[in-house]
Amino acid sequence: MAFRVIHSSGHRTEFGVDDIYEFLFGGVLAVHYADPTKWSEYYPPHKWDQVLAEAGHRPGATGGESVGGLMLGE
């Protein structure tokens, strides 16, 4: 698991290290898949409660992107 979305219903969805999450205007959560055959998903603020990500997996980036010569998550 690279990050997990906890939905307001209590359901949990896990995503991979190459998937990306970001927070959009108005509290919308966007999830973009690394798999080009999958469409991005958008969750309005009343449909999700929390995003739990591994260390270094920041919003708008994959868990393995480098920043300033360092690999995120190291």
Side-chain angles (χ1 to χ4, degrees), residues 2-54:
F3 67 94
R4 174 183 297 146
V5 174
I6 300 175
H7 304 272
S8 55
S9 66
H11 178 73
R12 298 168 186 244
T13 306
E14 293 189 9
F15 298 91
V17 69
D18 292 325
D19 297 328
I20 297 172
Y21 68 95
E22 62 179 331
F23 304 105
L24 304 177
F25 183 77
V28 174
L29 172 65
V31 176
H32 309 288
Y33 290 98
D35 182 345
T37 64
K38 291 185 175 181
W39 292 84
S40 296
E41 295 181 3
Y42 297 88
Y43 301 98
H46 65 278
K47 292 289 185 178
W48 67 278
D49 285 334
Q50 190 174 20
V51 175
L52 301 172
E54 291 180 351

Side-chain angles (χ1 to χ4, degrees), residues 2-3 16-20 54-58 61-66 71-74:
F3 67 94
V17 69
D18 292 325
D19 297 328
I20 297 172
E54 291 180 351
H57 198 132
R58 294 176 175 85
T62 66
E65 285 189 23
S66 62
M71 289 297 289
L72 296 178
E74 289 186 328

